[in-house]
Amino acid sequence: MSEVTLLVLDAEPPPRLGRLTGRARVIHADEASLAKQLPDADVLLVWDFTSHAVRRAWPGDGPRPRWVHTASAGVEHVLCPELVASDTVVTNARGIFDQPIAEYVAALVLAMAKDLPRTWDLQREREWHHRETQRVAGTRACVVGSGPIGRAIERTLKALGVRTALVGRTPRTGIHGPEDLDRLIARADWVVCAAPLTDETRGMFDERRFGVMQPSARFINVGRGALVVEKDLAQALSKRWLAGAALDVFEHEPLPPDSPLWDAPGLLVSPHMSGDTVGWRDDLGAQFVELFERWEAGRPLLNVVDKKRGYVPGR
């Protein structure tokens, strides 16, 4: 077998690929040079998973890599019609972010139920103001997205005593279908969005859906920013249709300084960090190396994306 050429769409810090020394010729590209270098690559590692350069470069002339791996759970930034129609296999970082994101969601639930942001504000103001807070055990949650991240969120919230319903693309044992979504969010105290971004899910949380929720409900999005119509959420919070919300992902990142979301009442804004724990980049690099070794040995790859659906099919 001739030496494999691995092309890396770089980001800082770069991946640790020392285990591939002598087994692959590693070349590097940035957004400007990617299109020119794609025809030379057998494998493309999209380390810069915030970039949309692959979507722009893929339709060009010449051969294309046989395998594309993105160091992220979402794949919408790499998929384009030409890649979807090709024989190229696409894999993602499924499994790396599940529990960290679930823990982050649990932290948000506890912080909002226990009014921790207000406690911090009062401390800085040196003001002693006793309040009563909400009990988490016994509340209801609807988790939208039945992939590994959604299931990890479900398990973690259940450990807190939250009665949790999981909604997926198709109904099956333990998972509700989309036709149950409105009914479930109408009685949920916590609505957590962890769905993939597809044509069917884009903008799924809009004015109508926020209007279905209880005034006491809180909304959390750790999926993709475009799943939410952000102006509708800002309006819903301003009108007190919801008790609060937390967004870790946004349609445009970084969130522009003039975005009305910064000042939306009851909204917690975090900079797309829910899955990023200490050592997460090393975990991503190690996962890719393990996948490369399977690919090199001719064994079936894990985390293969259904390119037409836009995610890795699960149970």
Side-chain angles (χ1 to χ4, degrees), residues 151-307:
R151 295 198 300 271
I153 293 170
E154 178 193 32
R155 290 193 301 271
T156 304
L157 291 182
K158 281 185 174 179
L160 295 175
V162 179
R163 291 176 286 178
T164 306
L166 191 60
V167 178
R169 183 174 182 265
T170 55
R172 49 210 186 272
T173 303
I175 299 174
H176 296 267
E179 63 278 2
D180 291 334
L181 179 58
D182 286 354
R183 175 178 61 83
L184 292 169
I185 66 175
R187 61 180 185 175
D189 301 290
W190 313 98
V191 178
V192 183
C193 182
L197 180 61
T198 67
D199 291 340
E200 291 75 24
T201 61
R202 185 179 298 275
M204 67 184 300
F205 285 100
D206 56 8
E207 181 180 21
R208 188 190 70 79
R209 283 254 160 79
F210 293 127
V212 168
M213 297 178 196
Q214 301 182 88
S216 59
R218 274 97 165 197
F219 174 75
I220 298 171
N221 186 19
V222 290
R224 285 292 178 266
L227 296 166
V228 176
V229 181
E230 293 174 347
K231 64 178 179 60
D232 290 356
L233 175 60
Q235 181 184 60
L237 290 168
S238 296
K239 292 182 176 181
R240 301 296 193 271
W241 290 1
L242 302 175
L247 299 180
D248 185 57
V249 287
F250 303 86
E251 188 163 10
H252 301 289
E253 298 181 0
L255 187 65
D258 60 350
S259 170
L261 292 175
W262 290 109
D263 299 316
L267 178 63
L268 289 171
V269 170
S270 59
H272 204 151
M273 58 183 284
S274 60
D276 302 347
T277 54
V278 175
W280 66 285
R281 291 184 178 87
D282 290 341
D283 292 341
L284 287 171
Q287 181 188 55
F288 173 73
V289 170
E290 291 172 6
L291 287 173
F292 184 92
E293 289 173 343
R294 294 182 68 94
W295 183 80
E296 183 182 45
R299 298 165 59 199
L301 283 168
L302 305 175
N303 295 2
V304 175
V305 172
D306 182 323
K307 293 184 290 183

Side-chain angles (χ1 to χ4, degrees), residues 15 19 23 48 58 62 73 77 79 134 139 148 170 176 195 214 291:
R19 279 167 54 187
R23 298 160 61 185
D48 183 1
W58 196 271
H77 60 292
L79 293 182
Q134 182 182 4
T139 59
T170 55
H176 296 267
Q214 301 182 88
L291 287 173

